[in-house]
Amino acid sequence: MAEAHQAVAFQFTVTPEGIDLRLSHQALSEIYLSGVRSWKKRIIRIKNSVITGVYPASPSSWLFVVIAILATMYTRSDPSMGIIAKIQEHLPVSQSMSSQCQAVVSAVLFSTMLWLLLIFTMRLCLKQLLSYHRWMFEQHGKMSTTTKIWVALVRIFSGRKPLLYSYQGSLPNLPVPAIKDTVKRYLESVRPLMNDGEYERMTKLATEFESSLGNRLQWYLKLKALWASNYVSDWWEEYVYLRGRSPIMVNSNYYGMDFLYVTPTPIQAARAGNSIHAFFLYRRKLNKEEIKPSRIPGTVIPLCAAQCERIFNTTRIPGEETDTVQHWKDSDYVAVYHKGRYFRLRVYQAGRLLSPREIEFQIQRILDDPAPPSKGEAKLGALTAADRVSWAEARVKYFSSGINKRSLDVIERAAFFVTLDDEEQGTMRDDQPASLDNYAKSLLHGKCYDRWFDKSFSVIYYKNGKSGINGEHSWADAPVVAHVWEYVLATDSFQLGYNEEGHCKGEVDASLPQPQKLNWEISPECEEQISRSLAVAQALADDVDFHVLSFRDFGKGQIKKCKVSPDAFIQMTLQLAYYRERGTFCLTYEASMTRLFREGRTETVRSCTNESSAFVRALENGEPADVCRRLFRGASEKHQQLYRMAMTGAGIDRHIFCLYVVSKYLGLESPFLKEVLAEPWRLSTSQTSIQQVELFDLANHPEYISCGGGFGPVADDGYGVSYNFIGENVINFHISCKHSCPSTDAHKFGDQIRKAVNDLLQLLSPNQKESSKTEESQPKVKKEQ
C-alpha cells in the first residue's frame, strides 16, 4: 500500500556485505519539522499562559515593581516595613553570597510577592466590577453617574491588549437565583397560557414545592455554585445534549448559509481552497490567542471565551447511555467526503500551511479521482445521522479495531469535516424562494449520509461554488461557530480573493503527495445497520418543512426610528403571527446568552407574556390604534426586561433544570418540576447577530449579505424560527416545522410573519409614508444567475 510505504522513515535490506540501511531524508525532515512546529506551539501556549495568568497586569510590570523597591532601598527607606529584613534572616546562608547580595535577593522576593498581591487585588477588583449589571437596565441613552464611573474603572482595570482568554479569571460566577423569585417569575410566564383552573392548580404545586423540597434542592445548588465555575453548564451539556438518544441531525445540529447574492467563484475546488485556508488562519490566531475577546456590542464588557477552545479538532463520540466530546490538541489535515469516498487531505507541508492555490489543487485531485467507494463506504455517514444507541453499538462492534478503526480515527481527529457536494445550491434566479428553501434543507441534513454530523462543524462546498456550514451543538452554541464563519467568508472574498479565471491566487508545489483515500472493510451486517440508520434519518429529513423568508421591505433601521428594540419588535411579530394562525398562544423560547459569566452558555427568554398577549388580543379585536400602541410599548419593555434578566443570571429555566437534576440525583420526585419540564416549546426562536462588523463595510458592499442560519423544529407540532438583521434594510427568517403535523406549515407561517411585520410597522408609524418600501431603501445588488 502506497500510503504505508510513505509513512516509513527508513528501509533496510540484509546483503552478504551486511545490513544496507537506506534512510528517507524527506521523511526524517518531515518528522523534524513536525517536532519544531509542535514545540513552537508549546512555547506559545506557555507564553500565553503567563500573560493570561498575570492579567490585567503584564509580565514586564514585575520588573517595574522590582526596580521601584530596589530604588527606595538605596534611598535608605524600607518600603516593606521590615519584611525584607525578615526574609533576609531566613535565607539559606551561603559563604559566597555577600550581605548586600542577600539584601538584593530578599528585595526581589519581596517585590515578587508584592507584585502577585497587586495582581490578585486587580483581578478581584475587575471581577467585582464585571459583576455590576445595573447599566443594562438603564434607559437607552441616559447613563447614570454611577455607571459612568463604573465604565471608567472597567477601562482602567482591563489593562491593554488583552488576549482571547485574558478575562477568564476575572469573570464572575453565575449566581443562583432565589427559589421564590424563580417560582414567581415562572407563574407569571405561564399565566397567559392557562385558564383560571389550570393556573390555580399550578400555583398550588409551585407553592408546595417552594415551601418544602425546593429549599433542600436549592442548598445543593448553592454548594455547587461555590465549588464549580458555573453551576449550569456541565449539566446542560451532559443532560440536554450528550445524553439525548435521538438523532442529532435536524433535532440538534444547526446550519449557516453563504452570501445571499454573491458567489465569489463558481469553481468548487477554488472556493474550498480559499475558505479551508481561511479556517486554518483562524485556528492559528486562536492557538496564539490573537483573536480579540468578544464583548457586548458598543461596550467594554467582555464575554466568556471558554467555548472557543473546542472549535477545531473536536468530535462527539457516541455512547450507549451518554456521548462524550473528544478534543485533540492539534490536527494537520481535514477529512473530505466526495461521492461516497472519504479522504485525508493534509494542509501542512514541511511545517508550512498550504496556500489556497495548493489546497485547491489537492481538492481538484479528489474531484477528479475516479476510484469508486469501497463496499459499504458510500452511505457510512448515515450512522451519525440516526439514533445514538445504534451508532454507539455499531461503532464498538465494527469500528473498534483494524482498518475501520484507523479510518474512523482519521475522520474524528480531523480539524473539521469537508463535504464536496455534487449538487448546485444557492439563490437561483428563476425561483429564489424555493431555491433558498432547498439550500437550507441541504445544509441541515443533506442526503443524510454525506455529512459527518458528529464533527464540531462540517463545511459543505457545492458544485457551483456555493458553501455553507453545519454545526454540532453540544460543545458550543451557534454564536461561536458564526464568529468563525464570518471571519472565513470575509477573508475568502476580501483578503485572499481569486484571479480572473476564478482560481485561487498563488503557485502550486507539484511535489505535493496525493490526498489519501481512506479504506474500509464493511461487513454485510454493518451494511444492514447503515441501511437501517439511513432509513431512520431519511424519514426524519423528509418530515422537515423549511422556508427561508428574506424580508426586504424594511429592516432594523426603520424599526429603530419607531424607538423600539428590533428584537422585541420581531418577538411581538412572532406572537401576532402565531396567534393569527393558531388562534391561541404558546410557550415561546427565545435563546439569550449568559456569557457575561464564566463558562456561561444560554438562558431562555419566555417571550409570551401577559403584556404581549394583551397587545395581540387588543390588535385583533380592533381596539383603537392609540391603545394598541400603548400595549405594544408595554409588551416591548417587558420583553427587554426579561431579556436583560436572563443575561444577568436571573432567568427561569436553567435554574429549574438544575433543581430537577439535583432531585434526580437524590431520587426525589417533584410533581411541579416534572410538569414544568414536560411543557413543549411550540415556538422556539433565536436571533443570529453579526459579531464582526469591522471585517468589511456592508454599506459599501451591500451585495455581500449573508442569509444567516437556522435549525429544526423543537416540538413535533411547533415551529423553529431563526432570524437575523442584515444592515439596516433586510430581515431574514428561517422557519422550520414538520409535514407530519397537520396544523403547521412553514410557508403559511412565513406569510403570517410578513403580514405581521408590515402591520406592526404601520401601527407604530401611521403617519409615515411607505417610503421604506421604495428602491431607495434597498441595497442595489446584482443577483447571481
Side-chain angles (χ1 to χ4, degrees):
M1 293 169 61
E3 62 270 15
H5 287 296
Q6 291 171 6
V8 178
F10 64 90
Q11 302 170 4
F12 68 91
T13 56
V14 179
T15 68
E17 290 77 21
I19 296 177
D20 179 17
L21 190 66
R22 298 194 301 273
L23 293 175
S24 171
H25 294 288
Q26 181 182 358
L28 290 175
S29 176
E30 287 288 340
I31 292 170
Y32 168 75
L33 291 171
S34 176
V36 169
R37 180 166 165 259
S38 177
W39 276 104
K40 282 182 178 178
K41 287 190 173 183
R42 290 182 187 180
I43 292 170
I44 289 171
R45 289 194 189 106
I46 292 170
K47 182 193 76 173
N48 289 342
S49 295
V50 172
I51 294 173
T52 301
V54 302
Y55 192 85
S58 64
S60 59
S61 62
W62 172 81
L63 186 60
F64 174 81
V65 174
V66 170
I67 292 173
I69 294 297
L70 290 175
T72 54
M73 287 181 63
Y74 279 106
T75 61
R76 299 188 180 278
S77 299
D78 185 6
S80 70
M81 295 181 289
I83 297 177
I84 293 177
K86 288 286 186 182
I87 294 174
Q88 188 172 348
E89 289 177 10
H90 291 85
L91 278 179
V93 177
S94 174
Q95 299 295 331
S96 61
M97 185 181 292
S98 65
S99 59
Q100 186 176 8
C101 186
Q102 290 180 6
V104 171
V105 171
S106 301
V108 170
L109 289 174
F110 170 76
S111 301
T112 302
M113 290 188 293
L114 178 62
W115 179 65
L116 292 173
L117 181 62
L118 289 172
I119 290 171
F120 176 79
T121 304
M122 291 176 67
R123 182 170 289 188
L124 188 62
C125 289
L126 183 57
K127 190 170 187 175
Q128 291 301 313
L129 288 169
L130 295 179
S131 300
Y132 173 83
H133 297 130
R134 291 183 185 176
W135 62 273
M136 198 178 293
F137 296 88
E138 293 180 352
Q139 189 174 348
H140 184 68
K142 295 183 178 180
M143 188 183 295
S144 67
T145 303
T146 302
T147 300
K148 289 178 180 178
I149 295 172
W150 168 77
V151 169
L153 290 172
V154 170
R155 290 185 187 277
I156 291 171
F157 282 95
S158 289
R160 298 174 58 192
K161 296 182 180 179
L163 297 176
L164 176 62
Y165 302 119
S166 291
Y167 288 105
Q168 291 303 102
S170 301
L171 290 173
N173 291 358
L174 183 69
V176 182
I179 281 281
K180 67 175 184 178
D181 292 339
T182 297
V183 168
K184 179 182 177 182
R185 287 193 287 264
Y186 167 77
L187 290 174
E188 183 182 356
S189 73
V190 297
R191 186 65 188 95
L193 310 175
M194 297 180 175
N195 58 37
D196 292 342
E198 292 169 337
Y199 183 71
E200 184 178 348
R201 174 180 162 277
M202 182 55 73
T203 301
K204 184 178 179 181
L205 286 176
T207 303
E208 290 175 356
F209 171 77
E210 180 185 342
S211 60
S212 56
L213 181 59
N215 289 324
R216 182 181 176 186
L217 302 180
Q218 180 80 344
W219 184 87
Y220 283 96
L221 273 193
K222 287 183 176 179
L223 186 63
K224 185 187 178 186
L226 290 173
W227 177 251
S229 299
N230 190 296
Y231 80 93
V232 175
S233 294
D234 58 338
W235 285 350
W236 186 253
E237 178 177 307
E238 180 178 357
Y239 293 106
V240 171
Y241 293 115
L242 298 179
R243 282 186 180 263
R245 301 292 82 197
S246 60
I248 60 175
M249 183 197 77
V250 174
N251 294 324
S252 179
N253 285 29
Y254 53 90
Y255 68 86
M257 283 185 167
D258 197 356
F259 295 122
L260 183 57
Y261 293 115
V262 173
T263 304
T265 177
I267 302 173
Q268 184 179 22
R271 191 73 197 282
N274 257 9
S275 60
I276 289 174
H277 183 84
F279 272 114
F280 279 91
L281 291 180
Y282 186 96
R283 193 183 73 166
R284 179 186 292 169
K285 295 180 69 172
L286 182 68
N287 290 339
K288 293 181 178 180
E289 300 185 28
E290 293 174 351
I291 296 170
K292 295 179 181 178
S294 297
R295 301 177 188 272
I296 297 287
T299 74
V300 296
I301 311 306
L303 301 177
C304 178
Q307 295 178 49
C308 298
E309 296 174 3
R310 297 187 290 181
I311 294 176
F312 296 94
N313 330 319
T314 300
T315 298
R316 177 170 173 163
I317 306 295
E320 292 191 14
E321 292 186 2
T322 182
D323 294 353
T324 55
V325 176
Q326 182 72 50
H327 172 71
W328 289 270
K329 287 291 184 184
D330 194 19
S331 178
D332 64 354
Y333 67 90
V334 294
V336 181
Y337 175 93
H338 177 244
K339 289 188 175 180
R341 299 138 340 138
Y342 292 87
F343 295 84
R344 168 161 51 187
L345 172 58
R346 296 191 182 277
V347 295
Y348 281 88
Q349 174 77 358
R352 156 186 84 80
L353 177 63
L354 297 185
S355 69
R357 184 71 183 89
E358 289 172 324
I359 298 176
E360 177 191 350
F361 176 72
Q362 295 291 71
I363 290 289
Q364 192 61 51
R365 279 178 159 181
I366 294 174
L367 292 172
D368 296 338
D369 191 327
S374 303
K375 186 175 181 294
E377 178 185 13
K379 299 179 180 179
L380 178 63
L383 292 171
T384 69
D387 65 282
R388 306 305 293 173
V389 174
S390 297
W391 174 209
E393 292 174 347
R395 190 176 189 274
V396 170
K397 191 172 183 180
Y398 306 115
F399 299 91
S400 58
S401 63
I403 192 171
N404 287 351
K405 183 180 188 306
R406 290 194 294 273
S407 294
L408 181 61
D409 282 347
V410 169
I411 295 175
E412 293 182 337
R413 291 171 181 263
F416 53 92
F417 191 80
V418 171
T419 294
L420 302 176
D421 205 302
D422 54 1
E423 295 182 347
E424 294 187 356
Q425 293 292 349
T427 309
M428 306 302 178
R429 189 173 183 179
D430 54 344
D431 192 354
Q432 178 179 330
S435 63
L436 279 177
D437 298 348
N438 293 333
Y439 183 22
K441 275 182 67 67
S442 176
L443 289 175
L444 185 64
H445 54 67
K447 298 183 181 73
C448 302
Y449 57 79
D450 55 350
R451 317 278 188 259
W452 200 266
F453 294 101
D454 287 354
K455 286 299 292 180
S456 55
F457 66 91
S458 301
V459 191
I460 301 94
Y461 299 101
Y462 293 100
K463 193 174 181 180
N464 59 341
K466 265 299 188 231
S467 66
I469 193 167
N470 182 289
E472 200 278 313
H473 212 326
S474 65
W475 64 274
D477 301 307
V480 177
V481 173
H483 194 276
V484 187
W485 189 233
E486 286 177 23
Y487 175 89
V488 168
L489 289 179
T491 302
D492 172 17
S493 297
F494 294 96
Q495 293 185 27
L496 300 176
Y498 301 88
N499 62 24
E500 293 179 357
E501 291 78 27
H503 293 285
C504 299
K505 298 175 182 178
E507 302 298 327
V508 177
D509 180 358
S511 67
L512 290 173
Q514 284 273 356
Q516 176 191 350
K517 183 182 180 301
L518 304 186
N519 295 306
W520 309 86
E521 293 178 354
I522 307 298
S523 65
E525 294 82 7
C526 184
E527 284 191 83
E528 290 180 10
Q529 180 59 60
I530 292 171
S531 297
R532 288 194 294 270
S533 295
L534 181 58
V536 171
Q538 194 66 60
L540 178 60
D542 290 344
D543 196 24
V544 175
D545 181 17
F546 224 103
H547 178 47
V548 179
L549 168 62
S550 186
F551 184 84
R552 305 183 59 80
D553 293 352
F554 60 87
K556 69 177 180 182
Q558 194 70 21
I559 295 171
K560 287 188 289 188
K561 289 180 181 178
C562 300
K563 298 182 179 180
V564 175
S565 157
D567 184 67
F569 181 93
I570 295 301
Q571 286 296 323
M572 295 307 109
T573 295
L574 296 176
Q575 292 299 313
L576 178 58
Y578 188 90
Y579 185 82
R580 283 174 170 175
E581 184 189 68
R582 305 289 283 273
T584 185
F585 298 104
C586 71
L587 195 61
T588 305
Y589 182 112
E590 181 187 5
S592 79
M593 59 91 179
T594 56
R595 289 171 65 195
L596 289 170
F597 303 95
R598 190 170 185 178
E599 297 180 16
R601 291 200 58 164
T602 61
E603 178 57 274
T604 305
V605 180
R606 294 181 167 229
S607 301
C608 181
T609 62
N610 291 317
E611 290 80 1
S612 67
S613 57
F615 157 70
V616 170
R617 285 195 180 97
L619 187 66
E620 291 302 280
N621 291 338
E623 296 288 338
D626 288 344
V627 174
C628 292
R629 276 194 289 273
R630 175 175 55 80
L631 291 173
F632 177 89
R633 300 283 179 189
S636 175
E637 289 171 6
K638 177 66 174 182
H639 175 267
Q640 286 298 95
Q641 177 75 2
L642 291 176
Y643 201 98
R644 292 169 182 137
M645 291 176 69
M647 286 182 64
T648 55
I652 300 169
D653 290 275
R654 299 302 177 269
H655 186 204
I656 289 178
F657 161 76
C658 287
L659 291 169
Y660 180 77
V661 173
V662 174
S663 73
K664 286 298 180 183
Y665 275 129
L666 298 177
L668 301 173
E669 287 295 326
S670 168
F672 170 72
L673 293 177
K674 188 175 181 180
E675 195 156 330
V676 170
L677 291 170
E679 295 168 343
W681 301 98
R682 291 192 173 90
L683 190 54
S684 181
T685 71
S686 178
Q687 180 189 166
T688 307
S689 58
I690 295 178
Q691 304 168 67
Q692 302 171 89
V693 293
E694 75 281 359
L695 291 178
F696 68 93
D697 187 358
L698 190 59
N700 292 327
H701 302 280
E703 68 276 18
Y704 284 88
I705 61 174
S706 170
C707 204
F711 51 87
V714 174
D716 290 338
D717 58 347
Y719 291 104
V721 182
S722 174
Y723 56 94
N724 68 335
F725 300 95
I726 303 296
E728 297 294 304
N729 302 297
V730 180
I731 311 173
N732 293 317
F733 297 89
H734 298 248
I735 307 161
S736 64
C737 62
K738 293 192 174 182
H739 288 296
S740 56
C741 178
S743 58
T744 59
D745 185 302
H747 289 77
K748 288 182 179 179
F749 193 55
D751 292 339
Q752 291 287 8
I753 290 175
R754 181 183 291 276
K755 184 176 185 301
V757 169
N758 283 306
D759 288 349
L760 288 189
L761 184 71
Q762 183 61 32
L763 173 71
L764 297 176
S765 53
N767 298 323
Q768 294 183 16
K769 296 180 180 180
E770 295 190 11
S771 59
S772 60
K773 297 183 182 180
T774 64
E775 291 295 319
E776 287 81 12
S777 70
Q778 298 187 20
K780 309 297 184 200
V781 298
K782 182 180 179 181
K783 297 184 179 180
E784 61 190 23
Q785 299 296 318

